[in-house]
Amino acid sequence: MENNLPYAINRGNGPTEGESVALFPWWSITKSVLAAAALRLADQGLLSLDDFYNGRPYTIRQLLQHTAGLNNYGGQAYREAVAAGDPVWPVAELLARVNAERLIFTPGRDWAYSNVGYIFVRQLIEEKAGLEIGEALRMLVFAPMDIQRTRIATTPEDMKQTFWGNPDGYDPRWVYHGLLIGPPSDAADFLRRLFSESFLSEGARSAMKTMHALGGSIAGRPWTRIGYGLGLMMGEMGEAGTAFGHSGVGHDCVSSLYCFSELPGSPVVAVFGQGTDEGITEAEAVRLAVSR
């Protein structure tokens, strides 16, 4: 059954097909772009993945893979503040509220998804590039890939320009690591070009795809085996086989971007939908990947 969700697909032997004009919030797909930027900085000799982050007991690699032992944000107080349209908390206040200095496990010993960790990834990129995050991602990732329409959203007006608008006046600065908005075709092109030899070194490509295994199926979602690389969700999605990319969810819409490397042409599919169920866009990505 077709869901008629906005999408883009690239099968490796021609231009990207699908929606190419309207902008959509990428949500946590942004993490894949941040990881790509960090790996570019590593390739340039400006950092090492196994450097400890600012003297703390976890490495940059662990931040990228969610194995640093850091807490997350997004609890009740956060959700209530977003829903009420409160002013965005300063970063220092957010970190204090979630007690970011207290580790929930010894770094490298376990895995826990952490938006806090990606705040530090953003700060690291800005420090090493000497640029604010939007310009840093443009220089490190989008310009080399010839991607021109995707950008960091910084105001509610930016969100108003996206496909479903911004009826609640959502402030994208609540996504502390940065929220990219762009067309589905840009997302598909990003993931297609991410592992090209001209973009990342062989070592960086290998590091990004080294998976921390997390388990098997997830109820309501197409995953039959799942893990996490550096800024990449990865594993297997049933009949589509091996998949890598990222899903994301915000306050009113979801996103999924995946490459299905075992299918003919290694299709890359980006799908966007309303609501908060990532399983809907992931399942549609699988359907699109295997149906052509």
Side-chain angles (χ1 to χ4, degrees), residues 16 69 160 166 214 233 265 272:
T16 300
K160 189 175 180 180
N166 190 19
L214 297 173
M233 296 171 61
F272 296 82

Side-chain angles (χ1 to χ4, degrees), residues 26 30 33-34 37 41 118-119 121-127 129-144 147-155 158 172-173 175-181:
W26 289 17
T30 304
V33 182
L34 291 167
L41 290 168
Y118 269 77
I119 296 174
V121 171
R122 170 185 176 159
Q123 292 175 341
L124 175 72
I125 292 167
E126 290 179 324
E127 174 192 346
L131 299 165
E132 58 81 27
I133 195 62
E135 184 60 20
L137 294 184
R138 189 199 67 79
M139 180 189 74
L140 291 166
V141 179
F142 295 132
I147 290 174
Q148 302 176 8
R149 293 164 294 182
T150 296
R151 66 183 191 275
I152 290 285
T154 58
T155 67
D158 286 337
R173 293 176 301 161
V175 182
Y176 283 85
H177 58 62
L179 172 57
L180 288 167
I181 57 174

